Every structure is written in C-alpha cells, then in structure tokens.
Amino acid sequence: MRLIFVIFLIGLSSCNWESVLPDPASTVIDVKSQRGWRTTALDNAYKIQFPRGYQGGIGPTIEGPEFSLKRYDQQAYFLGIMPFFGGGMPLPNPQPATIPHGNVLLDRLVTFQRNGQTQGLFYYAQQPKALGRLYLLHNGTLGYSMIVQYDYSLHQEVLGILQTIQPH
C-alpha cells in the first residue's frame, strides 16, 4: 500500500500542469494567471507571465529599460515599446476600429478585461506572419505598450501570454 502511495506522489509531482489558454476566436478575454508559468515585470505598473520555451524580460538599452520576450524557435516576439515609467502613445479617442501599422492594417481586436473593466486592447492582423499592437491602461488612458510579431499558428499561445498581464 505504501508503494502505491509513493508511486502516486511521484506521478503527481511529475505532472506538467496544463495551461488553460483562451479560445483563439475570443474577442473579450478575462485576465488571469497561469500556474507554473514564469512571472516577470513588463513595466513599472504591470507584470506578465510566459511558458517554458520563452526567454526575456526587462533589460537595459541606451534609452532605458525595455521589455522583450522571444520564443525559442523565433516564431513569436514581444517587444515593449513604451517608456518604462508610464504609458506610451495614447490610443485615439474615440476608439478606432482598425490601427494602421506601416503597410499593415491591424483590423482585428481582442479586449482584455479585469474585474469587468477594460485593461488592454490588442489590435492584430490575421496573416501567416501576424503582427499586433497592445494598448494597456495607464492612469486612465490606454497607451501603446507592446508590439507582437508571431506565426499565426501560435495565436492562441500569444493570447494566453497577453491574458496574464496584470498590475503589480
């Protein structure tokens, strides 16, 4: 009986807690933590989590601290573009339906909510090499916070990472 219990405990401890990722077709996603994912600061107001296979965090640059995160196979890349201490360029008011980014039109939108309130907006273009811009709430204003480039096959994983962004 003891042997069975020990085997059960070993099996339980070796389990890889499966992440629960959002539906990739979602347009509104509730912010939540992921068990077993690494947590790091995104900026002075927010933290972010990411699964194994990603590396990054805040590092020094000539212009000050900057957040970057990339997938081991280079198929997803997150780059914080806002100043570390405060929000980036504000989202136009009224909220646009699309956002131009160079020669790409970001025409899809996912809203991230925390306790029923909008915390962030992710505009993206659905294409094989997807591109998206994340706007986060800072001092009551949604500001340009991050650019994300990824293979669209990783869309659900990217949304899962973005859904973990929470205030410190």
Side-chain angles (χ1 to χ4, degrees), residues 13-56:
S13 68
S14 66
C15 283
N16 181 8
W17 295 102
E18 189 71 26
S19 306
V20 179
L21 298 177
D23 178 348
S26 298
T27 57
V28 177
I29 297 174
D30 288 327
V31 172
K32 70 176 204 157
S33 296
Q34 290 287 358
R35 185 179 185 142
W37 284 17
R38 180 175 165 207
T39 302
T40 190
L42 172 61
D43 60 22
N44 67 325
Y46 289 98
K47 60 186 176 181
I48 187 171
Q49 292 183 289
F50 50 93
R52 277 184 270 231
Y54 282 84
Q55 55 182 298

mmCIF file of all heavy atoms in Angstrom, residues 13-56:
data_model
loop_
_atom_site.group_PDB
_atom_site.id
_atom_site.type_symbol
_atom_site.label_atom_id
_atom_site.label_comp_id
_atom_site.label_asym_id
_atom_site.label_seq_id
_atom_site.Cartn_x
_atom_site.Cartn_y
_atom_site.Cartn_z
ATOM 1 N N SER A 13 3.806 14.625 -8.671
ATOM 2 C CA SER A 13 4.840 15.662 -8.683
ATOM 3 C C SER A 13 5.462 15.844 -10.055
ATOM 4 O O SER A 13 5.984 16.903 -10.358
ATOM 5 C CB SER A 13 5.936 15.339 -7.664
ATOM 6 O OG SER A 13 6.659 14.208 -8.077
ATOM 7 N N SER A 14 5.402 14.844 -10.906
ATOM 8 C CA SER A 14 5.981 14.977 -12.234
ATOM 9 C C SER A 14 4.979 15.494 -13.265
ATOM 10 O O SER A 14 5.331 15.691 -14.414
ATOM 11 C CB SER A 14 6.549 13.640 -12.699
ATOM 12 O OG SER A 14 5.509 12.713 -12.883
ATOM 13 N N CYS A 15 3.738 15.715 -12.843
ATOM 14 C CA CYS A 15 2.729 16.222 -13.767
ATOM 15 C C CYS A 15 3.112 17.624 -14.230
ATOM 16 O O CYS A 15 3.555 18.445 -13.462
ATOM 17 C CB CYS A 15 1.353 16.315 -13.094
ATOM 18 S SG CYS A 15 0.528 14.749 -12.917
ATOM 19 N N ASN A 16 2.915 17.882 -15.495
ATOM 20 C CA ASN A 16 3.110 19.214 -16.028
ATOM 21 C C ASN A 16 1.741 19.879 -16.001
ATOM 22 O O ASN A 16 0.862 19.497 -16.746
ATOM 23 C CB ASN A 16 3.655 19.119 -17.454
ATOM 24 C CG ASN A 16 3.901 20.468 -18.058
ATOM 25 O OD1 ASN A 16 3.815 21.486 -17.383
ATOM 26 N ND2 ASN A 16 4.217 20.466 -19.339
ATOM 27 N N TRP A 17 1.553 20.842 -15.119
ATOM 28 C CA TRP A 17 0.257 21.495 -15.009
ATOM 29 C C TRP A 17 -0.066 22.147 -16.340
ATOM 30 O O TRP A 17 0.617 23.039 -16.801
ATOM 31 C CB TRP A 17 0.265 22.532 -13.883
ATOM 32 C CG TRP A 17 0.446 21.882 -12.557
ATOM 33 C CD1 TRP A 17 1.586 21.820 -11.825
ATOM 34 C CD2 TRP A 17 -0.532 21.154 -11.809
ATOM 35 N NE1 TRP A 17 1.380 21.116 -10.679
ATOM 36 C CE2 TRP A 17 0.084 20.703 -10.633
ATOM 37 C CE3 TRP A 17 -1.868 20.848 -12.025
ATOM 38 C CZ2 TRP A 17 -0.597 19.965 -9.679
ATOM 39 C CZ3 TRP A 17 -2.539 20.124 -11.070
ATOM 40 C CH2 TRP A 17 -1.896 19.692 -9.913
ATOM 41 N N GLU A 18 -1.105 21.667 -16.974
ATOM 42 C CA GLU A 18 -1.513 22.140 -18.287
ATOM 43 C C GLU A 18 -2.073 23.551 -18.178
ATOM 44 O O GLU A 18 -2.896 23.852 -17.334
ATOM 45 C CB GLU A 18 -2.586 21.205 -18.850
ATOM 46 C CG GLU A 18 -2.945 21.460 -20.275
ATOM 47 C CD GLU A 18 -1.859 21.075 -21.249
ATOM 48 O OE1 GLU A 18 -1.049 20.194 -20.936
ATOM 49 O OE2 GLU A 18 -1.821 21.653 -22.334
ATOM 50 N N SER A 19 -1.611 24.430 -19.037
ATOM 51 C CA SER A 19 -2.116 25.788 -19.097
ATOM 52 C C SER A 19 -3.497 25.766 -19.730
ATOM 53 O O SER A 19 -3.765 24.964 -20.612
ATOM 54 C CB SER A 19 -1.194 26.658 -19.937
ATOM 55 O OG SER A 19 0.115 26.574 -19.459
ATOM 56 N N VAL A 20 -4.348 26.651 -19.276
ATOM 57 C CA VAL A 20 -5.667 26.793 -19.870
ATOM 58 C C VAL A 20 -5.623 28.064 -20.702
ATOM 59 O O VAL A 20 -5.630 29.172 -20.170
ATOM 60 C CB VAL A 20 -6.768 26.873 -18.791
ATOM 61 C CG1 VAL A 20 -8.122 27.044 -19.445
ATOM 62 C CG2 VAL A 20 -6.742 25.634 -17.907
ATOM 63 N N LEU A 21 -5.530 27.892 -22.009
ATOM 64 C CA LEU A 21 -5.408 29.028 -22.921
ATOM 65 C C LEU A 21 -6.784 29.474 -23.387
ATOM 66 O O LEU A 21 -7.716 28.674 -23.466
ATOM 67 C CB LEU A 21 -4.544 28.634 -24.121
ATOM 68 C CG LEU A 21 -3.106 28.251 -23.790
ATOM 69 C CD1 LEU A 21 -2.370 27.804 -25.048
ATOM 70 C CD2 LEU A 21 -2.371 29.395 -23.121
ATOM 71 N N PRO A 22 -6.916 30.756 -23.728
ATOM 72 C CA PRO A 22 -8.220 31.258 -24.171
ATOM 73 C C PRO A 22 -8.593 30.733 -25.551
ATOM 74 O O PRO A 22 -7.735 30.284 -26.322
ATOM 75 C CB PRO A 22 -8.005 32.773 -24.213
ATOM 76 C CG PRO A 22 -6.541 32.955 -24.394
ATOM 77 C CD PRO A 22 -5.891 31.790 -23.713
ATOM 78 N N ASP A 23 -9.865 30.796 -25.853
ATOM 79 C CA ASP A 23 -10.364 30.438 -27.180
ATOM 80 C C ASP A 23 -9.750 31.423 -28.174
ATOM 81 O O ASP A 23 -9.872 32.636 -28.011
ATOM 82 C CB ASP A 23 -11.894 30.550 -27.182
ATOM 83 C CG ASP A 23 -12.523 30.236 -28.525
ATOM 84 O OD1 ASP A 23 -11.801 30.145 -29.545
ATOM 85 O OD2 ASP A 23 -13.755 30.102 -28.567
ATOM 86 N N PRO A 24 -9.076 30.932 -29.215
ATOM 87 C CA PRO A 24 -8.421 31.852 -30.150
ATOM 88 C C PRO A 24 -9.392 32.729 -30.937
ATOM 89 O O PRO A 24 -8.988 33.732 -31.512
ATOM 90 C CB PRO A 24 -7.634 30.926 -31.081
ATOM 91 C CG PRO A 24 -8.262 29.598 -30.944
ATOM 92 C CD PRO A 24 -8.860 29.533 -29.568
ATOM 93 N N ALA A 25 -10.678 32.393 -30.932
ATOM 94 C CA ALA A 25 -11.675 33.207 -31.624
ATOM 95 C C ALA A 25 -12.295 34.261 -30.703
ATOM 96 O O ALA A 25 -13.140 35.035 -31.139
ATOM 97 C CB ALA A 25 -12.768 32.311 -32.196
ATOM 98 N N SER A 26 -11.860 34.306 -29.462
ATOM 99 C CA SER A 26 -12.423 35.251 -28.489
ATOM 100 C C SER A 26 -12.147 36.698 -28.880
ATOM 101 O O SER A 26 -11.087 37.013 -29.406
ATOM 102 C CB SER A 26 -11.836 35.019 -27.099
ATOM 103 O OG SER A 26 -12.151 33.750 -26.623
ATOM 104 N N THR A 27 -13.109 37.545 -28.573
ATOM 105 C CA THR A 27 -12.896 38.984 -28.753
ATOM 106 C C THR A 27 -12.816 39.687 -27.399
ATOM 107 O O THR A 27 -12.390 40.831 -27.331
ATOM 108 C CB THR A 27 -14.013 39.617 -29.605
ATOM 109 O OG1 THR A 27 -15.268 39.364 -28.988
ATOM 110 C CG2 THR A 27 -14.004 39.055 -31.021
ATOM 111 N N VAL A 28 -13.241 39.018 -26.336
ATOM 112 C CA VAL A 28 -13.114 39.533 -24.969
ATOM 113 C C VAL A 28 -12.544 38.412 -24.115
ATOM 114 O O VAL A 28 -13.076 37.303 -24.100
ATOM 115 C CB VAL A 28 -14.473 39.996 -24.393
ATOM 116 C CG1 VAL A 28 -14.317 40.464 -22.952
ATOM 117 C CG2 VAL A 28 -15.084 41.098 -25.243
ATOM 118 N N ILE A 29 -11.431 38.693 -23.428
ATOM 119 C CA ILE A 29 -10.748 37.687 -22.620
ATOM 120 C C ILE A 29 -10.507 38.253 -21.227
ATOM 121 O O ILE A 29 -10.034 39.392 -21.090
ATOM 122 C CB ILE A 29 -9.405 37.282 -23.268
ATOM 123 C CG1 ILE A 29 -9.655 36.631 -24.639
ATOM 124 C CG2 ILE A 29 -8.608 36.360 -22.363
ATOM 125 C CD1 ILE A 29 -8.402 36.319 -25.431
ATOM 126 N N ASP A 30 -10.846 37.463 -20.213
ATOM 127 C CA ASP A 30 -10.574 37.866 -18.832
ATOM 128 C C ASP A 30 -9.111 37.620 -18.499
ATOM 129 O O ASP A 30 -8.550 36.576 -18.828
ATOM 130 C CB ASP A 30 -11.457 37.091 -17.849
ATOM 131 C CG ASP A 30 -12.908 37.532 -17.911
ATOM 132 O OD1 ASP A 30 -13.162 38.727 -18.160
ATOM 133 O OD2 ASP A 30 -13.793 36.684 -17.721
ATOM 134 N N VAL A 31 -8.508 38.581 -17.831
ATOM 135 C CA VAL A 31 -7.116 38.474 -17.392
ATOM 136 C C VAL A 31 -7.041 37.425 -16.297
ATOM 137 O O VAL A 31 -7.895 37.382 -15.408
ATOM 138 C CB VAL A 31 -6.621 39.842 -16.875
ATOM 139 C CG1 VAL A 31 -5.251 39.724 -16.244
ATOM 140 C CG2 VAL A 31 -6.622 40.863 -17.995
ATOM 141 N N LYS A 32 -6.013 36.553 -16.367
ATOM 142 C CA LYS A 32 -5.828 35.548 -15.327
ATOM 143 C C LYS A 32 -4.389 35.061 -15.327
ATOM 144 O O LYS A 32 -3.676 35.187 -16.319
ATOM 145 C CB LYS A 32 -6.785 34.377 -15.498
ATOM 146 C CG LYS A 32 -6.494 33.497 -16.681
ATOM 147 C CD LYS A 32 -7.436 32.322 -16.713
ATOM 148 C CE LYS A 32 -6.787 31.201 -17.480
ATOM 149 N NZ LYS A 32 -7.303 29.932 -17.161
ATOM 150 N N SER A 33 -3.998 34.490 -14.204
ATOM 151 C CA SER A 33 -2.654 33.936 -14.064
ATOM 152 C C SER A 33 -2.618 32.519 -14.611
ATOM 153 O O SER A 33 -3.639 31.844 -14.676
ATOM 154 C CB SER A 33 -2.252 33.897 -12.584
ATOM 155 O OG SER A 33 -2.178 35.195 -12.072
ATOM 156 N N GLN A 34 -1.421 32.076 -14.974
ATOM 157 C CA GLN A 34 -1.206 30.702 -15.422
ATOM 158 C C GLN A 34 -0.302 30.002 -14.418
ATOM 159 O O GLN A 34 0.798 30.487 -14.129
ATOM 160 C CB GLN A 34 -0.546 30.666 -16.805
ATOM 161 C CG GLN A 34 -1.446 31.126 -17.919
ATOM 162 C CD GLN A 34 -2.529 30.119 -18.273
ATOM 163 O OE1 GLN A 34 -2.625 29.026 -17.714
ATOM 164 N NE2 GLN A 34 -3.374 30.506 -19.204
ATOM 165 N N ARG A 35 -0.765 28.919 -13.904
ATOM 166 C CA ARG A 35 0.006 28.138 -12.931
ATOM 167 C C ARG A 35 1.253 27.555 -13.594
ATOM 168 O O ARG A 35 1.180 26.985 -14.675
ATOM 169 C CB ARG A 35 -0.877 27.026 -12.394
ATOM 170 C CG ARG A 35 -0.244 26.229 -11.315
ATOM 171 C CD ARG A 35 -1.203 25.176 -10.841
ATOM 172 N NE ARG A 35 -0.616 24.487 -9.723
ATOM 173 C CZ ARG A 35 -1.291 24.080 -8.685
ATOM 174 N NH1 ARG A 35 -2.586 24.276 -8.610
ATOM 175 N NH2 ARG A 35 -0.681 23.456 -7.708
ATOM 176 N N GLY A 36 2.390 27.747 -12.967
ATOM 177 C CA GLY A 36 3.632 27.171 -13.455
ATOM 178 C C GLY A 36 4.375 28.002 -14.487
ATOM 179 O O GLY A 36 5.444 27.616 -14.926
ATOM 180 N N TRP A 37 3.808 29.124 -14.907
ATOM 181 C CA TRP A 37 4.494 29.984 -15.857
ATOM 182 C C TRP A 37 5.391 30.963 -15.107
ATOM 183 O O TRP A 37 5.100 31.350 -13.976
ATOM 184 C CB TRP A 37 3.505 30.767 -16.701
ATOM 185 C CG TRP A 37 2.828 29.971 -17.777
ATOM 186 C CD1 TRP A 37 2.748 28.619 -17.873
ATOM 187 C CD2 TRP A 37 2.117 30.499 -18.881
ATOM 188 N NE1 TRP A 37 2.037 28.269 -18.979
ATOM 189 C CE2 TRP A 37 1.628 29.402 -19.632
ATOM 190 C CE3 TRP A 37 1.822 31.775 -19.322
ATOM 191 C CZ2 TRP A 37 0.886 29.558 -20.794
ATOM 192 C CZ3 TRP A 37 1.086 31.938 -20.477
ATOM 193 C CH2 TRP A 37 0.626 30.836 -21.207
ATOM 194 N N ARG A 38 6.459 31.383 -15.751
ATOM 195 C CA ARG A 38 7.384 32.358 -15.167
ATOM 196 C C ARG A 38 6.736 33.743 -15.171
ATOM 197 O O ARG A 38 6.082 34.132 -16.136
ATOM 198 C CB ARG A 38 8.668 32.380 -16.001
ATOM 199 C CG ARG A 38 9.679 33.342 -15.474
ATOM 200 C CD ARG A 38 10.974 33.233 -16.254
ATOM 201 N NE ARG A 38 11.769 34.401 -15.956
ATOM 202 C CZ ARG A 38 12.660 34.910 -16.758
ATOM 203 N NH1 ARG A 38 12.910 34.336 -17.917
ATOM 204 N NH2 ARG A 38 13.339 35.970 -16.411
ATOM 205 N N THR A 39 6.922 34.487 -14.087
ATOM 206 C CA THR A 39 6.379 35.839 -13.956
ATOM 207 C C THR A 39 7.528 36.835 -13.916
ATOM 208 O O THR A 39 8.523 36.608 -13.239
ATOM 209 C CB THR A 39 5.552 35.972 -12.658
ATOM 210 O OG1 THR A 39 4.499 35.000 -12.670
ATOM 211 C CG2 THR A 39 4.953 37.358 -12.519
ATOM 212 N N THR A 40 7.375 37.930 -14.651
ATOM 213 C CA THR A 40 8.382 38.987 -14.652
ATOM 214 C C THR A 40 7.699 40.336 -14.856
ATOM 215 O O THR A 40 6.560 40.394 -15.317
ATOM 216 C CB THR A 40 9.454 38.739 -15.742
ATOM 217 O OG1 THR A 40 10.533 39.651 -15.558
ATOM 218 C CG2 THR A 40 8.883 38.905 -17.131
ATOM 219 N N ALA A 41 8.395 41.395 -14.531
ATOM 220 C CA ALA A 41 7.856 42.741 -14.737
ATOM 221 C C ALA A 41 7.793 43.038 -16.235
ATOM 222 O O ALA A 41 8.710 42.708 -16.980
ATOM 223 C CB ALA A 41 8.728 43.768 -14.030
ATOM 224 N N LEU A 42 6.710 43.675 -16.643
ATOM 225 C CA LEU A 42 6.570 44.171 -18.007
ATOM 226 C C LEU A 42 7.011 45.636 -18.043
ATOM 227 O O LEU A 42 7.676 46.078 -18.960
ATOM 228 C CB LEU A 42 5.125 44.033 -18.472
ATOM 229 C CG LEU A 42 4.762 44.665 -19.805
ATOM 230 C CD1 LEU A 42 5.557 44.044 -20.939
ATOM 231 C CD2 LEU A 42 3.272 44.500 -20.077
ATOM 232 N N ASP A 43 6.618 46.366 -17.022
ATOM 233 C CA ASP A 43 7.000 47.763 -16.837
ATOM 234 C C ASP A 43 6.832 48.077 -15.359
ATOM 235 O O ASP A 43 6.734 47.162 -14.550
ATOM 236 C CB ASP A 43 6.188 48.691 -17.752
ATOM 237 C CG ASP A 43 4.679 48.615 -17.516
ATOM 238 O OD1 ASP A 43 4.246 48.195 -16.418
ATOM 239 O OD2 ASP A 43 3.916 48.986 -18.422
ATOM 240 N N ASN A 44 6.773 49.347 -14.992
ATOM 241 C CA ASN A 44 6.644 49.675 -13.579
ATOM 242 C C ASN A 44 5.238 49.456 -13.034
ATOM 243 O O ASN A 44 5.044 49.475 -11.824
ATOM 244 C CB ASN A 44 7.100 51.114 -13.310
ATOM 245 C CG ASN A 44 6.173 52.130 -13.946
ATOM 246 O OD1 ASN A 44 5.632 51.911 -15.026
ATOM 247 N ND2 ASN A 44 5.999 53.251 -13.285
ATOM 248 N N ALA A 45 4.254 49.206 -13.896
ATOM 249 C CA ALA A 45 2.870 49.038 -13.447
ATOM 250 C C ALA A 45 2.344 47.614 -13.627
ATOM 251 O O ALA A 45 1.443 47.205 -12.904
ATOM 252 C CB ALA A 45 1.958 50.009 -14.199
ATOM 253 N N TYR A 46 2.876 46.874 -14.585
ATOM 254 C CA TYR A 46 2.333 45.570 -14.931
ATOM 255 C C TYR A 46 3.383 44.470 -14.861
ATOM 256 O O TYR A 46 4.573 44.706 -15.033
ATOM 257 C CB TYR A 46 1.746 45.573 -16.355
ATOM 258 C CG TYR A 46 0.472 46.352 -16.485
ATOM 259 C CD1 TYR A 46 0.477 47.661 -16.953
ATOM 260 C CD2 TYR A 46 -0.747 45.782 -16.143
ATOM 261 C CE1 TYR A 46 -0.702 48.386 -17.082
ATOM 262 C CE2 TYR A 46 -1.928 46.488 -16.271
ATOM 263 C CZ TYR A 46 -1.904 47.782 -16.734
ATOM 264 O OH TYR A 46 -3.072 48.494 -16.848
ATOM 265 N N LYS A 47 2.889 43.249 -14.664
ATOM 266 C CA LYS A 47 3.718 42.046 -14.748
ATOM 267 C C LYS A 47 3.102 41.148 -15.811
ATOM 268 O O LYS A 47 1.931 41.288 -16.177
ATOM 269 C CB LYS A 47 3.804 41.333 -13.401
ATOM 270 C CG LYS A 47 2.466 40.866 -12.853
ATOM 271 C CD LYS A 47 2.599 40.293 -11.463
ATOM 272 C CE LYS A 47 1.206 39.945 -10.924
ATOM 273 N NZ LYS A 47 1.278 39.411 -9.573
ATOM 274 N N ILE A 48 3.904 40.207 -16.321
ATOM 275 C CA ILE A 48 3.470 39.305 -17.380
ATOM 276 C C ILE A 48 4.002 37.911 -17.063
ATOM 277 O O ILE A 48 5.024 37.776 -16.392
ATOM 278 C CB ILE A 48 3.975 39.792 -18.764
ATOM 279 C CG1 ILE A 48 3.396 38.970 -19.907
ATOM 280 C CG2 ILE A 48 5.504 39.817 -18.805
ATOM 281 C CD1 ILE A 48 3.692 39.558 -21.289
ATOM 282 N N GLN A 49 3.306 36.902 -17.545
ATOM 283 C CA GLN A 49 3.755 35.519 -17.386
ATOM 284 C C GLN A 49 3.964 34.903 -18.763
ATOM 285 O O GLN A 49 3.302 35.294 -19.732
ATOM 286 C CB GLN A 49 2.708 34.691 -16.650
ATOM 287 C CG GLN A 49 2.532 35.070 -15.203
ATOM 288 C CD GLN A 49 1.522 34.143 -14.564
ATOM 289 O OE1 GLN A 49 0.337 34.218 -14.846
ATOM 290 N NE2 GLN A 49 2.011 33.248 -13.726
ATOM 291 N N PHE A 50 4.877 33.923 -18.821
ATOM 292 C CA PHE A 50 5.081 33.216 -20.071
ATOM 293 C C PHE A 50 5.536 31.790 -19.785
ATOM 294 O O PHE A 50 6.131 31.507 -18.753
ATOM 295 C CB PHE A 50 6.064 33.947 -20.988
ATOM 296 C CG PHE A 50 7.360 34.345 -20.344
ATOM 297 C CD1 PHE A 50 8.459 33.509 -20.416
ATOM 298 C CD2 PHE A 50 7.480 35.551 -19.686
ATOM 299 C CE1 PHE A 50 9.656 33.880 -19.841
ATOM 300 C CE2 PHE A 50 8.679 35.929 -19.108
ATOM 301 C CZ PHE A 50 9.769 35.085 -19.187
ATOM 302 N N PRO A 51 5.224 30.877 -20.720
ATOM 303 C CA PRO A 51 5.538 29.457 -20.517
ATOM 304 C C PRO A 51 6.998 29.147 -20.833
ATOM 305 O O PRO A 51 7.739 29.980 -21.356
ATOM 306 C CB PRO A 51 4.615 28.757 -21.515
ATOM 307 C CG PRO A 51 4.449 29.743 -22.619
ATOM 308 C CD PRO A 51 4.470 31.096 -21.957
ATOM 309 N N ARG A 52 7.374 27.903 -20.543
ATOM 310 C CA ARG A 52 8.698 27.422 -20.945
ATOM 311 C C ARG A 52 8.834 27.575 -22.449
ATOM 312 O O ARG A 52 7.854 27.542 -23.171
ATOM 313 C CB ARG A 52 8.856 25.953 -20.592
ATOM 314 C CG ARG A 52 9.257 25.728 -19.166
ATOM 315 C CD ARG A 52 9.471 24.253 -18.972
ATOM 316 N NE ARG A 52 8.179 23.697 -18.569
ATOM 317 C CZ ARG A 52 8.014 22.932 -17.515
ATOM 318 N NH1 ARG A 52 9.032 22.564 -16.801
ATOM 319 N NH2 ARG A 52 6.834 22.507 -17.181
ATOM 320 N N GLY A 53 10.048 27.732 -22.880
ATOM 321 C CA GLY A 53 10.280 27.908 -24.305
ATOM 322 C C GLY A 53 10.386 29.366 -24.691
ATOM 323 O O GLY A 53 10.619 29.682 -25.852
ATOM 324 N N TYR A 54 10.193 30.243 -23.738
ATOM 325 C CA TYR A 54 10.350 31.680 -23.963
ATOM 326 C C TYR A 54 11.450 32.184 -23.046
ATOM 327 O O TYR A 54 11.642 31.671 -21.950
ATOM 328 C CB TYR A 54 9.064 32.442 -23.632
ATOM 329 C CG TYR A 54 8.017 32.351 -24.706
ATOM 330 C CD1 TYR A 54 7.156 31.269 -24.767
ATOM 331 C CD2 TYR A 54 7.887 33.354 -25.663
ATOM 332 C CE1 TYR A 54 6.191 31.182 -25.752
ATOM 333 C CE2 TYR A 54 6.918 33.274 -26.647
ATOM 334 C CZ TYR A 54 6.077 32.191 -26.687
ATOM 335 O OH TYR A 54 5.114 32.104 -27.662
ATOM 336 N N GLN A 55 12.145 33.208 -23.508
ATOM 337 C CA GLN A 55 13.117 33.850 -22.644
ATOM 338 C C GLN A 55 13.046 35.349 -22.854
ATOM 339 O O GLN A 55 12.716 35.829 -23.928
ATOM 340 C CB GLN A 55 14.512 33.316 -22.899
ATOM 341 C CG GLN A 55 14.997 33.399 -24.322
ATOM 342 C CD GLN A 55 16.371 32.789 -24.439
ATOM 343 O OE1 GLN A 55 17.311 33.264 -23.832
ATOM 344 N NE2 GLN A 55 16.487 31.740 -25.224
ATOM 345 N N GLY A 56 13.339 36.065 -21.796
ATOM 346 C CA GLY A 56 13.332 37.512 -21.891
ATOM 347 C C GLY A 56 12.961 38.148 -20.581
ATOM 348 O O GLY A 56 12.970 37.524 -19.529
#
